[in-house]
Each structure stands twice: as C-alpha cells, then as structure tokens.
Amino acid sequence: MFLNETRHAINVEDASCDAQRPCSTCVRSHSYAVAHAPAGVELPPHPECTFDEAVSESPPVETTETPKSRFERLENELESLLREKDRALNTFASDQSQPQMQHHPFASSSNAHTPNLVHSNGFNFDGIPGFANGNGNGIPTNGISNMYPNYTSSKPQNGTNGMDYTQFPNASGLDNLAGVASLLGNAPLSEAHIDSVSAGLNQDTSMSGGFQSNGSNLDIVFASWPVNLPSREVTRHLVEAYFAFHLHAVRLFHGPSFLASLDLHPTDPRFPWSAILHAMCAIGSLYVASIPPTPAPPPEYPAHEVFGARLRTLQRRPDSFAEQQAKFAKEQAEIALDLGHHKFQCVQVTVMLTWFYWCHGRWSEAFLSAAQGLRVAVPCGLNVCPPFHTIAETLRPPAIIPPAKTVMEDEVRRNTFWLAYAMERQMGTGNGWALSLDDQDICQLLPLRGDQFEQGILVYPSERQWSHDRDLLTTHKDEQIDSFILYVKATIILSRVKSFNLRFKGKHYVGDASVVSPNNSPASADQQEIFDIKDAPAFQELDKMINAFRTSFPAHLKSPIIGQSVDPYLYTASLIPHLGLILLNEPHARPGEATCVHADRILRAARAIVDLMYNIASTSYDVSLLGLHSIMCWFMSGRVLIRFLKAAMQANSDAQIPQLQAEIVFIRSMLMKAAERITLAQRYQRMLDEYLFNSTGQTFADSLPISRFSTECTISLEEDSTSTMVPDTSRATDVFMQYRAPPIPARPTRR
C-alpha cells in the first residue's frame, strides 16, 4: 500500500518513462520508500513497475497538502505538544516543591536588601523555580539544584548540547524543526518525544541537555534551540537572575519585553539573539549558587597583571561555565560584525562582556572590549541624535542601522550608548591612555527617567537635557532626573577630569591660557617646582564644577541609603565627585606638608568615601551588587590614606596614625567582602596590600593578615621565557593608577 501510494505521486501528466523493467522512476520510488518506511511495515524486496502509459480518462492525482502547509501544520502540532508538556512540568514542579517553595523568589530571602533590589529593577519574579531558598544575600541556592546539578565540566559534547541529533545530520535550525515534525507526522503522538537526559550521564550533559524531570515521559526539547546554550529552563533561570541582580540589566534591555520574548519559539525572528543569551548566562551565573564560580587567581599571580591569558597559562584549567558562555558570546559577536548582522545587538553584547571581563580583573580584554563597544556605536549613530549630524556630504548615511520603530527601541539604543560610554570612562580613570571617543563628538540626549522608560513614554527633546548643554552638571530638570541620569552625569565629570590630566602637558607646552597660571607660571624648566596648578583657569573650573555637582542633587536624591534600601546608581554617583577631586588634586598633593591645599582636598575626599562605606556597611546589603566602579573608588580612597599614613609615621604623629590605621583596615575588609563574588575586588585588595607594604614596610603591614609578595618572590608566566617576573608594585600599579605626573615640559621659546 505504501509503495503504491508512492508510485501514484509520480507526475502522470509528464508520462516520462525510460521503458525499462523496472523503470528508473520506480527504482527511485522504491528506494525512498524503503529508506523512510515506518517501523513494522514490510515492503517487497524489488520494485514492482506497473506503469506503462498515462491514462487520459483518469483525472490527475492532486496533492492534498503542499510541503509549506505541511510544515506549518506540523509546527503548530509541535508547539501544541510543547505547551502541554510545559503545563505538565509546571504541575509536576509545583507538586514536588510544595514543602520548600511556598512563594518566590527574592522576597523570601532573609536579607533586607533583596526587596529593595527587586524594587529598583522593577521586576517581580514570583513563580520562578529555583529562587525560593536564599543564602541570606538574596541569591538563590537550593531551588536551582532541583533544576540541574553542579556544573563542573567545561566543554560541551561535540556542540550538541548533550542531545543526539544524528537523525538530522548537517541541518540548520529550520531543518531540525522539520526533522522533528517529520517524526510527529509518521509516528504516534505518544512516541513523539525526546527522552530526558538520564541520571547516569555526566554533569556537563545534564547542564547542556534537556530539562530533567525525574523520569517523566513528557520531555520535549527544541531541536532548533541555539547550540552551546544551556537547556531552555536553565537559560531562562540565568536570564531571570541577570535581570534581578545585575545593575545594568534593566537599562540595557527593556526587561518585561525581553523576558516575554524568551517564550517564543527559537526560530521566531523576535526570539533573543543567542549571543545576548550567552552573555546573560555568563553574568547571571555569578548570582546562582549551584554553578561553580570562576576560580580566583592563585596567590602567586601578580595582582597588577594586565594580560589575563598569562593567568590561564599559570592555572592550566578548563574554562568555567561563565568563561565558556562569554567566549561563545564573543565569537558570535565577532562573526556577526564581520557579516554586518545584529549590529546594535553587538554593542549590547560588548557592553556585557566589558563588564564581565572587568569583573574578573581581565584588564586587557576589558579595555579592548570597552573601546570596541564605543567604536561600533559610532557608525550605528548612537553617539549623536538629530539634528546634530555632520554638515559635510558623505558617501555613508549617518547610521548603518535603520531608525528605531518605537519609543522603547529608541530609548534602549540611547541607554546602551550611555552604558558603553560610562564603562569606558570609568575604566579610563585607572590608566593614562587616551579615551576612545571625544566628548565633543557626543551630541546625545540624556536617558529617560526609569519609570518613563519602563512605560515607553515619549518625552520630547525640548523637555530633556543634551550632553553638550553648558549647565548640564549643575542644573537638573525636575521631571527628568533620577539616579541613573545622575550616574551618567557623574561619569561625564570623570571624563572631563581625565581629559584635563591627559592633555595638560601638551596644552601647557604650547602656552594654552586655560592651563597657565596667571600668577606664577614657570618661565623655564628650572622653575618647575614653584608652579601652582590651582590658579590655572581650567583647573579652577573643574574644581568648582565638581563641588557644584555634589551640592546640586535634588532633595529626594541626596542620600543613596534610606533605611535598608540602597540605590546602586545613586551610591556610585555620590562616590564619583570625591574620586574626581582625588584624580584632579592627587598628582600635586604633598601629604607631608601641612599647608598643601591639594593634600587637604584629597584627604577630605578619601574620608568622604569612607563615610559612604560606613553607611552601607551598616545595612545588610550585599556590596557585591553595587557595581564595579564603587569598588574602584574604595581602592582609591585606601591608596590616599596609605600615603597619609606613611607621612604620619615619618612625622611620628601618634594622634593621626591610629585613625588612619582603622580606616585602612576597614577598607580592606569591605574589599574582601565584595571579593566573595567579584574577582576585581580581590585584585584591588591585593594591590592595596602591596602598596601598603611598599609604603610602610613591615612596621604596619605585619599587623594585618594580608597576602603580599616577598621581595624575593619571582614567577614565570611564560614557559618559553628565560626571564622571570619580579613584582614591582610601585611601578606596575601606576600602569592603572597614574596619580603623580612627571615634570612639566618647558614652553618653547618664542623667536
């Protein structure tokens, strides 16, 4: 019967036959029927050719269903089965978790900061599996262990996510979907499922494969699910953790829309790009307890090392789960940029990867990623907004991406640019290298208020502030100000201070009036020591601007800490002005001189940062959720206090030494607390220990439980290198923190 139906599928009107017995058409039909016959169907060993000539009296056999309609029908059937499977799994999960999962997720944590965090991100994750039990910091622990075991292996099995796709060889995602549909079309519905990953498989397979439901026979996975991503349930869990705990998540994406898009079929064009999901999984894994974190650098590894690949050579270990996902995201973004695909999404991925690299102290990768993010944003037209385009006629359009279709899409692009800008500027304060994009090339509106962004409200440019407004940093529109906008403005202050320090020598060399003191500018190189920069107009302007910004905060944004509630953006915005004063005055400060104005300013700024640290330490807030730049501000404060401790010890000032000692010990303790999740904090803590040891010697350093390098310690990070690396912290730390400027070059003599 099956063979007979196959023969009738031949185009009878064509009547093409080679008159062989059997004919070639029947031979092909028989071969196809044998290869695709359902189980249990017996076919004759040889084709039986019965076609001799076309029968004109009989009407042609019409195909009842076109291939396209068949695919659509089978896809609908598959989605219907998946919905039934999801309902069954939800029922199963709720039955299994009743004793331990009464309500979800973050509000159940005993830590008081958790509801505040959820409130600041604007999400309610009630009903999310795996977030019921916390570790006291609002981080899910026990619940996720029911979803998947601990992840230990680092390499996916042949890129198949632990599943057997041999029945769909060399196929695309749509072909894989068609393959599953063909199974549904030729087999009973009760058999149309892919068995769950057995408990006997290794943990890597369980992590990458389908959702495991304790022997349930209801498991169906998407054959078109993106390769190298964890299973659908694990991916969603990590994405939800990313949105719940990551500082920038609800500004880099519109959370409700993105989470809703995860429910779509993987082949739907609105489904999130896999590179974005990889980056989210890499960051989200930092906030779940069941995925082992990336191992911290060993004690013998230099804390100031720039190139992360040398650490990998030293550790000789496989990639962690987070490192794997970050690598997949980077590879896909690079391929997409080469092909010109997902151009804006590549900027988003780059922003997330920059944060990931910086979080793990991988400075070289973070620096390159931050620069790439801004450079890609420029041809995408994210740094400018109409009508501020070039007046020259160009061969290229102002932007290589199409205009935004909705207010939400337009604001997501704007937020993405400002986050890329902020991250590049904040990292730039720690080195003496040029920035990737000049502030004068930025003509963009500031972000919307958070509530307006969530609702997609259109606010006209006349009611907002531009990045190049003259009074941008001292004037705040009442209807257009919140903690994130203050955070962006504070970052602009850092950018201006960095540009001043970076360009001061060049401007002074050519006699720029903005950096020349009208009272005592040096006339020759011999008079360098008497030069006082505080009288230079540009210096005075920056100093006044920073102080004015600190006092201009609206009344409802004066304090980042109210009770147990902490606003991470406002906290960082409150720290940055003090950091700006340190960066501006520290190169000229002389802590040993009582009359040095610059020394007094940086000491006051450092202790203002310590006061903010005391305030947050009095709460139960998890300081690892504050963001990375806050940690850098703490480190800077510690370095300044160590300079004053050294001066106090040299002057035998018994009145100042105990207070400075207590403040330095407290800063170390806060860095160590943040280092429980953030590797960058551990690096800064070790750099602070080394700076303390080099500045005070063993007199004070021995009283602290610090890890430091002995002067006799040498390590070699390159197998083929004949030289050893001796940590020189006084020099290497300045690679990232250049505070003391070299002598000012003499101005050229005018002839």
Side-chain angles (χ1 to χ4, degrees), residues 350 354 365-377 420 424 427 434-437:
T350 304
T354 300
E365 294 164 285
F367 177 80
L368 295 175
S369 181
Q372 183 186 36
L374 273 186
R375 297 314 302 168
V376 175
E424 195 263 354
M427 281 196 302
L435 299 172
S436 303
L437 182 64

Side-chain angles (χ1 to χ4, degrees), residues 20-38:
Q20 300 296 323
R21 295 293 185 270
C23 65
S24 59
T25 302
C26 290
V27 171
R28 289 194 303 270
S29 300
H30 180 268
S31 300
Y32 181 88
V34 172
H36 296 80

Side-chain angles (χ1 to χ4, degrees), residues 213-359:
S213 59
N214 300 330
S216 172
N217 199 32
L218 300 173
D219 291 343
I220 299 177
V221 299
F222 286 109
S224 55
W225 184 252
V227 178
N228 297 323
L229 273 178
S231 66
R232 189 182 186 95
E233 287 74 14
V234 174
T235 299
R236 185 175 185 89
H237 182 77
L238 295 176
V239 170
E240 287 167 345
Y242 169 79
F243 276 100
F245 294 106
H246 187 59
L247 174 64
H248 304 309
V250 295
R251 290 289 185 165
L252 194 58
F253 302 92
H254 185 251
S257 301
F258 189 91
L259 291 174
S261 66
L262 281 178
D263 295 329
L264 301 174
H265 194 278
T267 59
D268 193 299
R270 296 167 296 174
F271 188 79
W273 185 34
S274 58
I276 291 178
L277 295 178
H278 283 304
M280 287 185 175
C281 287
I283 299 176
S285 65
L286 298 175
Y287 309 111
V288 297
S290 294
I291 296 182
T294 301
E300 63 271 18
Y301 183 70
H304 53 264
E305 177 58 57
V306 180
F307 300 99
R310 294 182 177 179
L311 172 62
R312 302 304 309 279
T313 304
L314 181 66
Q315 287 182 311
R316 300 180 181 275
R317 61 169 176 81
D319 289 337
S320 66
F321 172 80
E323 290 172 329
Q324 258 195 0
Q325 294 300 310
K327 185 178 294 184
F328 292 143
K330 181 180 179 181
E331 291 174 353
Q332 291 195 18
E334 290 177 347
I335 294 174
L337 283 177
D338 290 341
L339 298 175
H341 300 161
H342 303 287
K343 293 176 284 294
F344 170 69
Q345 288 81 359
C346 285
V347 180
Q348 292 179 304
V349 170
T350 304
V351 170
M352 290 189 286
L353 290 180
T354 300
W355 188 96
F356 178 84
Y357 295 142
W358 194 17
C359 170

Side-chain angles (χ1 to χ4, degrees), residues 121-195:
N121 281 3
F123 286 99
N124 181 8
F125 289 90
D126 290 344
I128 300 174
F131 285 89
N133 299 322
N135 59 2
N137 292 327
I139 307 298
T141 54
N142 298 335
I144 194 174
S145 62
N146 295 329
M147 298 183 66
Y148 51 87
N150 290 340
Y151 182 89
T152 56
S153 179
S154 62
K155 186 177 181 181
Q157 295 184 349
N158 300 326
T160 60
N161 288 348
M163 303 304 298
D164 182 12
Y165 295 144
T166 56
Q167 65 267 41
F168 314 124
N170 301 326
S172 64
L174 184 59
D175 294 333
N176 291 339
L177 177 63
V180 176
S182 66
L183 292 180
L184 292 177
N186 294 328
L189 293 180
S190 61
E191 298 177 1
H193 71 275
I194 300 177
D195 293 336

Side-chain angles (χ1 to χ4, degrees), residues 11 24 34 73 83 97 195 285 338 393 401 404 419 445 451 466 565 577 608 675 734 739:
N11 188 354
S24 59
V34 172
R73 176 179 59 82
R83 286 193 293 269
S97 59
D195 293 336
S285 65
D338 290 341
E393 294 184 3
I401 59 176
L419 286 173
L445 290 168
D451 57 330
W466 292 91
S565 175
D734 286 340
Y739 312 116

